[in-house]
Amino acid sequence: MLTWWRGRRRFHVAGAAVAIAAAGVLVPVTLADSAEACWSAPEAVTKLAKDPAAASRALDPGAELDGLGKVRGLVSHPRLCDAASVGEVIEAATLSTPGEPHTVTQARVTFAVAAVLDDKPGVPRGLEPYVARMLADHMVDTARAFDDPVLLPGQRPHGPTAPEPAGTGKAFWAPNEPHVAFEYRGPDGASPDIVSLVGRLAQDPEAFAILYDAERAYLATLLEHVAPDQTLQDEMDGYGKKARKTGRKELDSDLSIALADSARRVGRLMELRAGHALGGEIPDLGAFDREVRRRLKGSYRPAPHLVRDRPLTGDIVRRGTSGKLTGDIFDGRQQLFRIVDTWARDRQVPARTVTWMRAKIEDSYLMGMQMQRY
């Protein structure tokens, strides 16, 4: 068993700071008249970034989360001397290999990292892009958890992972890929609040860009898997009426909900940007926006033909871009419209359907903009 979180921590301290042992974990304590201490991961930890399988094994909290302390020992420090070295270990342990599904261990580590960070008042400075990249790599599960479904006690998952995504969208994603069950509540109450975690990540421009790219890639992937005659006609006509026997009602409902949820999440991102600027967490909005623009990958265009594969979760954010972003990139509603309009034009979707889809996006985006700041 690895023991690098016991006794091998290195603290760099300016001023009169001391370290104390608490529950077997060394924690830096800074005296009132001293500068803040920072923690550096030892070489035994940082070298795990070059061996993803070993990183996943080292941080695996187990099916019962009894090893959650291993993850807590890595990311629970108020200040990291070199956040990149810790972030690279997190990425190695949680990101899938291109073209391959996530492993159960990667999903468990992802749950553990999110749970530990959600239990903290803040994400260590510099770690935000790495955590955002982790959430983006598990976008199917991040999106579901962000939408905050209301679950009764008997509906909660029985562990930190699940064999398939819960709720809507099952028809779109690769079968038999392990997923992160962020809704699980561990024995010690560990249950990450993804909305809160994303709220803190959005203070960082690189993390903001990663999450914004992931949302647009996610919507483009959804749309290219839908045939024009499998869109929203049943819901447009109203499910209250006698349903036509089209055999596509489940897919209609999935796409309708996915459209609304995607727009609401993007609206929430834009609300967070404005809220953090007003609250002072983003001290220079102009500089923040310039950095976001520099970091964004580009625009996402659904394939002009029906795609019949069922993509792996990690490959969604790895899809290529179709060009540079145009227009106001901080009007997320317009950026989502562009994705829908391109898909509709390529696939000859009826104008009535497109109008309905745009209205759905508009309404849900405004709901996201009105979400109370965490």
Side-chain angles (χ1 to χ4, degrees):
M1 185 176 71
L2 291 176
T3 58
W4 43 259
W5 40 80
R6 286 177 180 267
R8 294 186 62 188
R9 304 182 181 280
R10 300 196 304 274
F11 291 101
H12 298 262
V13 184
V18 297
I20 62 171
V25 177
L26 288 178
V27 181
V29 177
T30 305
L31 301 181
D33 60 349
S34 69
E36 185 180 12
C38 68
W39 179 79
S40 287
E43 185 180 357
V45 179
T46 57
K47 72 179 184 180
L48 293 172
K50 298 180 180 179
D51 189 343
S56 294
R57 289 193 302 268
L59 293 178
D60 184 5
E64 304 297 326
L65 300 181
D66 51 353
L68 198 63
K70 295 186 291 185
V71 177
R72 186 173 289 115
L74 182 66
V75 302
S76 65
H77 309 283
R79 182 166 171 250
L80 300 173
C81 301
D82 182 7
S85 64
V86 174
E88 288 166 1
V89 173
I90 291 173
E91 287 189 357
T94 60
L95 271 57
S96 63
T97 301
E100 296 184 12
H102 288 105
T103 66
V104 171
T105 305
Q106 288 169 338
R108 282 202 298 251
V109 177
T110 298
F111 179 98
V113 171
V116 169
L117 289 176
D118 185 52
D119 197 35
K120 288 170 50 61
V123 178
R125 190 66 181 163
L127 201 60
E128 299 98 337
Y130 301 94
V131 178
R133 206 167 284 115
M134 177 191 79
L135 295 182
D137 203 70
H138 296 264
M139 186 61 199
V140 172
D141 311 313
T142 299
R144 185 186 69 251
F146 192 93
D147 297 329
D148 196 22
V150 178
L151 298 176
L152 299 174
Q155 296 176 314
R156 286 194 173 275
H158 299 295
T161 64
E164 63 181 11
T168 60
K170 292 180 184 179
F172 297 116
W173 313 124
N176 304 317
E177 180 177 20
H179 287 266
V180 187
F182 286 119
E183 303 90 339
Y184 174 63
R185 183 164 293 160
D188 62 350
S191 183
D193 182 343
I194 297 301
V195 174
S196 175
L197 182 56
V198 167
R200 284 175 281 168
L201 296 176
Q203 300 177 35
D204 178 83
E206 184 178 357
F208 186 99
I210 290 167
L211 295 171
Y212 193 16
D213 271 330
E215 287 290 354
R216 292 178 297 109
Y218 182 83
L219 179 59
T221 303
L222 280 171
L223 288 177
E224 67 190 14
H225 285 77
V226 177
D229 64 346
Q230 292 177 314
T231 52
L232 308 164
Q233 195 65 49
D234 283 342
E235 181 159 336
M236 289 161 60
D237 289 345
Y239 284 150
K241 299 179 181 179
K242 185 176 180 179
R244 298 184 321 233
K245 297 186 180 299
T246 61
R248 65 173 190 257
K249 185 172 180 179
E250 180 181 350
L251 182 56
D252 289 349
S253 178
D254 270 5
L255 181 58
S256 173
I257 294 171
L259 272 175
D261 289 345
S262 181
R264 189 164 51 249
R265 291 191 302 270
V266 172
R268 172 65 169 166
L269 268 180
M270 299 307 162
E271 190 278 336
L272 285 165
R273 166 180 166 269
H276 285 316
L278 289 171
E281 295 89 4
I282 298 176
D284 185 338
L285 185 59
F288 179 91
D289 289 354
R290 287 190 295 273
E291 185 65 13
V292 170
R293 287 189 185 94
R294 190 177 76 84
R295 295 283 185 176
L296 286 171
K297 294 179 181 178
S299 60
Y300 292 91
R301 178 174 183 168
H305 57 275
L306 178 64
V307 178
R308 297 186 181 277
D309 71 341
R310 297 179 64 181
L312 297 164
T313 301
D315 287 347
I316 294 172
V317 295
R318 297 189 185 103
R319 66 178 293 139
T321 57
S322 59
K324 293 182 178 180
L325 276 174
T326 58
D328 183 357
I329 66 171
F330 294 107
D331 185 345
R333 172 180 43 189
Q334 294 298 327
Q335 296 300 327
L336 296 180
F337 285 164
R338 289 173 187 271
I339 296 172
V340 169
D341 291 347
T342 301
W343 169 78
R345 186 168 54 250
D346 288 342
R347 307 284 288 283
Q348 299 181 338
V349 177
R352 177 170 177 258
T353 301
V354 178
T355 298
W356 191 94
M357 293 171 75
R358 287 173 64 103
K360 190 82 171 178
I361 289 173
E362 177 100 25
D363 181 62
S364 300
Y365 180 85
L366 293 175
M367 288 178 60
M369 288 286 292
Q370 295 166 4
M371 287 178 68
Q372 182 177 0
R373 210 170 148 226
Y374 88 99

